[in-house]
Amino acid sequence: MSPTCKPGILEISPYVGGQASVPGVAKVFKLSSNESPLGPSPQVLAALDEAKASLSLYPEGSGRLLREAIAQTHGLDAARIVTSGDGSDALLTLLANAYLRPGDECLFSAHAFLVYKIATLANSAVPVIVPEKTTNSVIKVDVDAMLAAVTPKTRMVYIANPNNPTGSYLTRDEMARLHAGLPEGVMLVIDAAYSEYVTAKDYEAGMEMAARHPNVVMTRTFSKLYGLAGLRIGWMYGSEAVCDVINRIRGPFNTALMQQLVGIAALRDRAHFWQAVKHNNEWLPWITAEIRKAGLRVDDSAANFVLIHFPVCGTKGEKTAAKADAFLKQSGVILRPVGSYGLPDCLRMTVGTEEQNRLAVSLLQQFMAA
Ligand SMILES: Cc1ncc(COP(=O)(O)O)c(C=O)c1O
């Protein structure tokens, strides 16, 4: 008989990443994982070269060099930052490992990032899934419904802001209202993986809240706008007490020197950063408008992807998400089916290069016109 794992773990559906290949199709256009079409800064390649000398040695354990660079870039206290060499995913999980006890309730919204449920179940805690609301054709976290779901057993709340896969965001005031309604002993984890893309003036990534409130933590990543998804660098900002807790349970050398040096190089190349922002600002509205012109609902997005809704049964016959997905894949364009996020009639499309965007849009237009 094999040993028994903790209750909850076998209820987990393993995370499946965005598809990267299509059988029989030589050239693919991967718009399924919200990666940056610009890739990393050229300066990152020089940093990688420099880091080669460090491969045989353990890194300094606290990620000090990277923490200091992040602190300098964002005006934060380096002592209140924890870095990760396994993405922000690992930090979202470590927070659950540290704070969720068996039977505790963890709140997140209906179409939230899948890792929250995995981290909750892995700790034998109870996922409490709160419906979102649709306003002006945007599916969004419902602050009132979240607060109504709080019970004496609630221990943690995860909010992706902006949310993946809906692309919607909570304003600074909405997030403050959510926090104000939570008991002090409840941890609010603000997952700001896409914050670099947000241009709305009423948005705040979570730094201000985490600076002020001991029960707020913000997580960030180098995987998206910085174009470094393959190198798995993430970080979090929280109170000294929370960082102390996470530092006790994280891997002793959880951020390789190579990851630190690359992260620092990425942070320093502001020109590349702004180029990536500009690219998104140009193509996100274009994609949204063009796909809408094809007759599909596309939600306004604050991030680097859009959520496209397909009619299960439209006026021109069945134009389902599954059929659209199959049609696009014949030409090598891979979008992300989001049935596992509770959105079986939708596909998520990442903003790609100009070539990728034009091809994906024209295929969607052909699909709808057929
Ligand atoms: C909302 C959200 N949070 C976190 C992550 C994970 O990012 P990382 O690559 O830092 O683990 C993702 C990646 O898809 C995401 O969409």
Side-chain angles (χ1 to χ4, degrees), residues 49-357:
D49 214 39
E50 190 189 330
K52 280 196 294 205
S54 71
L55 290 181
S56 65
L57 302 176
Y58 282 102
E60 183 276 328
S62 79
R64 184 178 56 79
L65 293 176
L66 181 56
R67 285 188 298 109
E68 286 175 356
I70 293 168
Q72 201 183 23
T73 304
H74 293 283
L76 303 175
D77 176 356
R80 295 178 57 177
I81 293 170
V82 181
T83 61
S84 159
D86 190 16
S88 54
D89 281 344
L91 296 166
L92 294 164
T93 303
L94 284 170
L95 286 160
N97 296 350
Y99 289 96
L100 290 180
R101 298 163 304 195
D104 280 347
E105 292 176 357
C106 180
L107 259 61
F108 44 89
S109 65
H111 311 300
F113 185 45
L114 298 176
V115 165
Y116 312 155
K117 189 171 181 186
I118 295 175
T120 302
L121 289 171
N123 286 285
S124 312
V126 181
V128 176
I129 298 168
V130 181
E132 297 184 28
K133 65 175 179 197
T134 304
T135 327
N136 300 329
S137 296
V138 172
I139 308 175
K140 180 167 162 165
V141 170
D142 183 341
V143 172
D144 294 310
M146 293 296 270
L147 290 175
V150 173
T151 75
K153 288 188 172 173
T154 307
R155 186 93 167 130
M156 190 179 279
V157 178
Y158 284 112
I159 300 276
N161 202 30
N163 186 46
N164 169 21
T166 55
S168 59
Y169 72 98
L170 289 184
T171 65
R172 171 192 267 110
D173 290 351
E174 288 166 334
M175 191 66 90
R177 193 160 72 78
L178 173 63
H179 175 258
L182 295 175
E184 281 177 5
V186 173
M187 170 85 80
L188 173 61
V189 180
I190 303 175
D191 172 354
Y194 299 95
S195 56
E196 285 86 357
Y197 290 107
V198 186
T199 53
K201 297 277 180 290
D202 57 1
Y203 172 81
E204 196 274 307
M207 263 177 286
E208 288 174 11
M209 288 198 55
R212 275 208 310 273
H213 304 290
N215 64 337
V216 178
V217 173
M218 174 193 67
T219 58
R220 300 283 286 259
T221 185
F222 283 80
S223 301
K224 307 298 176 184
L225 185 126
Y226 288 104
L228 289 168
L231 210 59
R232 314 299 305 121
I233 316 166
W235 58 281
M236 59 167 249
Y237 178 61
S239 70
E240 284 194 33
V242 172
C243 291
D244 174 54
V245 166
I246 300 303
N247 278 327
R248 286 167 197 262
I249 62 168
R250 66 171 171 77
F253 305 101
N254 76 334
T255 317
L257 185 59
M258 178 174 283
Q259 294 172 310
Q260 295 189 51
L261 295 178
V262 162
I264 293 166
L267 285 171
R268 296 221 166 116
D269 191 343
R270 299 322 280 168
H272 189 75
F273 177 96
W274 288 114
Q275 202 187 340
V277 172
K278 185 166 170 274
H279 181 87
N280 203 60
N281 288 346
E282 274 170 24
W283 287 101
L284 181 71
W286 185 84
I287 289 168
T288 307
E290 292 298 315
I291 301 176
R292 282 180 185 159
K293 277 189 217 160
L296 291 163
R297 172 179 154 194
V298 183
D299 291 8
D300 285 332
S301 170
N304 68 332
F305 55 84
V306 288
L307 185 69
I308 311 167
H309 298 251
F310 290 83
V312 179
C313 187
T315 46
K316 290 178 186 154
E318 296 239 314
K319 298 285 180 189
T320 63
K323 284 186 182 169
D325 189 36
F327 181 78
L328 267 72
K329 274 192 194 137
Q330 285 169 10
S331 302
V333 174
I334 309 175
L335 306 192
R336 178 68 161 261
V338 280
S340 55
Y341 288 86
L343 295 162
D345 301 328
C346 299
L347 294 176
R348 190 190 68 198
M349 173 179 163
T350 306
V351 174
T353 60
E354 173 171 356
E355 180 197 11
Q356 293 167 345
N357 297 334

